[in-house]
Each structure stands twice: as C-alpha cells, then as structure tokens.
C-alpha cells in the first residue's frame, strides 16, 4: 500500500510543488530526470532546486539515483501529493478521511466536501506494469510509457466512462478527476462478495445486475472485468464500480468480454446460491440478448 500523504500537505511549501511538478514534466521524456534539467522544468534556481530536492527526498516524494548520472523520479507518494493538492485547490475536497479499500490497482479513501465522497488513486503499473501495459487498450499503442502515464490514463478513462453512464446506469456519480485520482460519490452498502442475500433477494439482485449491464451496453460499454468484487449492494439497489478496463461495444472483443462478464456473474450466483439460480440459465444466451437489445429479464432464459 502506498503511504497516505494527506498529512504532508500542510508542511509542504509552494516551491516544493514547483519541484515536484518539474520532475513530473521531465518524466514525460525519461523515467529519471537529470538534475541539471530540473531548473528549467521547475522554474527554480539551482540553489532552490537543491533545497527542495532535499525536502522532497526526506519525505519520500521523490527518489534519487546516481548511476551514470544524478537523476530523480517521482514516487507514487509524490504523484499523490500533486493530485491531492490540485483537488484541494479546486475546492473539490476539503477533508481527508480513512481508507475505504486497498486493491492491487487502486487505493480508495473517504474525503469530504459538501458531503462524504470517495477519492480513488489509480495504481496501475505500480507493481505490475508490464502486464497492465500489455492488456489495457489505453497503453497498448505506446511503446515507451511509465507507471505515471498508465495510472493517469486509467483515471481519465474511468472518469470519462462514468460520466457517459451516470445516471442512466447504476454507477458511482463522478465528481472530479486530476492526474491518476478520481473523486466520486461514496457508495452505500456492502460488497457483493461479502453479502449474504436472503432467499427472496437472490434472483432479484441478479436480475438487477444483468439489467445494469444491459443498460451499460445500450450506452456503448462492456464492463470487461465483472465479478462479485466490483458490485455494492444496499437497500436502495446495486452499484457497479471499477470501469477503467471497460471497452466500447464496437471493440473487436466486446462480445467475448460481455460473455465473460455474464459467465462470471451467473457463475458466482450459481455457486453461492445453487438452490435459487437454475442450471437452465445460460449466460451466453443472456449475453446475446443484451447484444441484440432484446433482454428484459433473466426469467426469459429459464
């Protein structure tokens, strides 16, 4: 887990952010930014660059290497700091709260503005860069990309998709986005994987989820990573989250991804609630109905 940097904001000075932004700018061209170039990238004097580097190194916001040349690169904490400051300055958020969830590709925290919200830092590329670079469409056409670029593109893509789907599809309401961070509504309820549905709720919840996938398809997207771990269930209904890997419905593999989403979803319900999900419910037939726009209810397929 990447360290929470919210507590650092009050002790950092404007010039520290100039230095961090300068390293960020230099990383567009190289993973490691030569010390000599930071003056131009940051707009600081050489003496000020030295002083700010020491402050940022001490706080774990940048990393230094001296093999071949003296170079610097942002740590994820440094990138978090830049995004968080921008969101505070834009008055999107005013307070930082407790962790809501930590995953392989994201960290989510509660934040506050006019009401409690959720701040999601994308971590794609931090520990599994090669795999993400190979599999995700938003990096596949770039031969030379960094974890920073990968995480930012994932956030931009997810925010764009949420804006396209909300409110017609039950997804978190998007609020703002900066760099690799997204601010969205804080979801009520419990993750589907942690929920024990009552007998009379099982089919209704499954039907709700398939209906939401059908609506997303009507709006031009296939989730492409559907599972019990990216659904929240509450008294008011369901919410489907984690959309950065979604593909448009005209994608060459959209049909394959849609079928896999339905197989994962129906398979989960069948394993956990075998007495309530008929073996006659064929996920591929449901996927075909979603694709041709004829889906109305899972009851049609049993």
């Amino acid at each position: 887990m990447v360290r929470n940097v919210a507590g650092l904001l009050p002790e950092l000075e404007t010039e520290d952010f100039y230095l961090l932004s300068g390293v960020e700018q230099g990383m567009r061209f190289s993973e490691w930014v030569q010390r000599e170039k930071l003056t131009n990238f940051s707009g600081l004097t050489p003496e000020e660059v030295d002083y700010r580097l020491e402050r940022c190194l001490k706080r774990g916001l940048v990393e230094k290497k001296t093999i071949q040349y003296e170079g610097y690169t942002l740590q994820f904490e440094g990138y978090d700091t830049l995004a968080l400051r921008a969101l505070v300055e834009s008055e999107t958020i005013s307070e930082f709260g407790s962790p809501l969830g930590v995953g392989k590709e994201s960290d989510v925290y509660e934040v506050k503005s006019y009401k409690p919200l959720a701040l999601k830092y994308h971590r794609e590329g931090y520990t599994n860069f090669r795999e993400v670079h190979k599999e995700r469409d938003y990096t596949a056409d770039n031969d030379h990309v960094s974890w920073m670029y990968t995480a930012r593109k994932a956030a931009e893509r997810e925010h764009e998709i949420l804006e396209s789907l909300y409110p017609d599809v039950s997804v978190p309401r998007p609020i703002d986005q900066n760099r690799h961070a997204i601010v969205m509504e804080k979801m009520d309820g419990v993750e589907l994987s942690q929920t024990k549905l009552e007998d009379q709720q099982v089919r209704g919840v499954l039907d709700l989820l398939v209906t939401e996938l059908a609506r997303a398809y009507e709006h031009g997207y296939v989730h492409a990573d559907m599972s019990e771990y990216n659904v929240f269930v509450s008294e008011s209904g369901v919410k489907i989250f984690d959309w950065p890997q979604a593909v448009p419905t005209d994608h060459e593999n959209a049909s394959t991804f849609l079928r896999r989403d339905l197989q994962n979803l129906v398979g989960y319900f069948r394993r956990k609630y075998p007495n309530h999900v008929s073996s006659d419910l064929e996920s591929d037939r449901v996927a075909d109905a979603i694709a041709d726009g004829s889906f109305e209810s899972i009851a049609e397929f049993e």
Side-chain angles (χ1 to χ4, degrees), residues 109-148:
Y109 293 88
E110 181 179 7
V111 293
K112 292 184 179 179
S113 179
Y114 59 96
K115 66 176 184 179
L117 301 171
L119 170 65
K120 177 179 180 178
Y121 290 122
H122 276 268
R123 303 298 189 200
E124 283 87 346
Y126 184 56
T127 58
N128 58 339
F129 176 72
R130 290 185 179 179
E131 288 76 8
V132 171
H133 175 56
K134 179 180 179 181
E135 294 178 4
R136 297 292 170 86
D137 279 352
Y138 47 79
T139 64
D141 294 332
N142 297 278
D143 292 330
H144 303 289
V145 294
S146 67
W147 57 262
M148 191 171 70

Side-chain angles (χ1 to χ4, degrees), residues 137 157 220-222 246-254:
D137 279 352
R157 182 172 177 80
Y221 288 102
V222 176
V247 299
T249 51
D250 60 359
H251 187 282
E252 61 180 353
N253 294 320

Side-chain angles (χ1 to χ4, degrees), residues 246-290:
V247 299
T249 51
D250 60 359
H251 187 282
E252 61 180 353
N253 294 320
S255 176
T256 300
F257 289 136
L258 179 61
R259 287 171 178 266
R260 187 178 69 184
D261 281 350
L262 269 297
Q263 289 168 1
N264 289 345
L265 190 59
V266 173
Y268 170 75
F269 274 82
R270 186 171 284 140
R271 290 191 304 274
K272 190 164 184 176
Y273 307 101
N275 296 328
H276 300 283
V277 180
S278 170
S279 58
D280 294 332
L281 179 59
E282 298 179 16
S283 57
D284 285 353
R285 289 180 58 214
V286 177
D288 290 340
I290 290 175

Side-chain angles (χ1 to χ4, degrees), residues 166-300:
Y166 185 87
D168 297 327
V169 181
S170 189
V171 299
R173 178 187 177 190
I175 305 296
D176 201 355
Q177 180 259 325
N178 185 275
R179 294 175 171 86
H180 63 314
I182 300 177
V183 179
M184 64 187 79
E185 71 170 312
K186 181 185 175 185
M187 293 179 290
D188 296 324
V190 181
E191 190 178 275
L192 178 60
S193 65
Q194 302 297 318
T195 304
K196 181 62 174 74
L197 299 173
E198 300 294 333
D199 290 350
Q200 66 273 20
Q201 296 175 316
V202 174
R203 290 177 56 82
V205 171
L206 175 57
D207 202 40
L208 275 176
L209 288 170
V210 177
T211 299
E212 294 302 328
L213 293 183
R215 287 177 181 163
Y217 195 92
E218 291 173 2
H219 282 69
Y221 288 102
V222 176
H223 189 281
D225 193 27
M226 192 65 192
S227 78
E228 63 271 24
Y229 301 106
N230 44 41
V231 173
F232 260 55
V233 180
S234 68
E235 292 183 359
S236 61
V238 298
K239 278 276 196 313
I240 301 175
F241 58 97
D242 278 349
W243 289 84
Q245 72 296 314
V247 299
T249 51
D250 60 359
H251 187 282
E252 61 180 353
N253 294 320
S255 176
T256 300
F257 289 136
L258 179 61
R259 287 171 178 266
R260 187 178 69 184
D261 281 350
L262 269 297
Q263 289 168 1
N264 289 345
L265 190 59
V266 173
Y268 170 75
F269 274 82
R270 186 171 284 140
R271 290 191 304 274
K272 190 164 184 176
Y273 307 101
N275 296 328
H276 300 283
V277 180
S278 170
S279 58
D280 294 332
L281 179 59
E282 298 179 16
S283 57
D284 285 353
R285 289 180 58 214
V286 177
D288 290 340
I290 290 175
D292 66 26
S294 64
F295 175 82
E296 293 184 6
S297 169
I298 60 171
E300 304 171 64

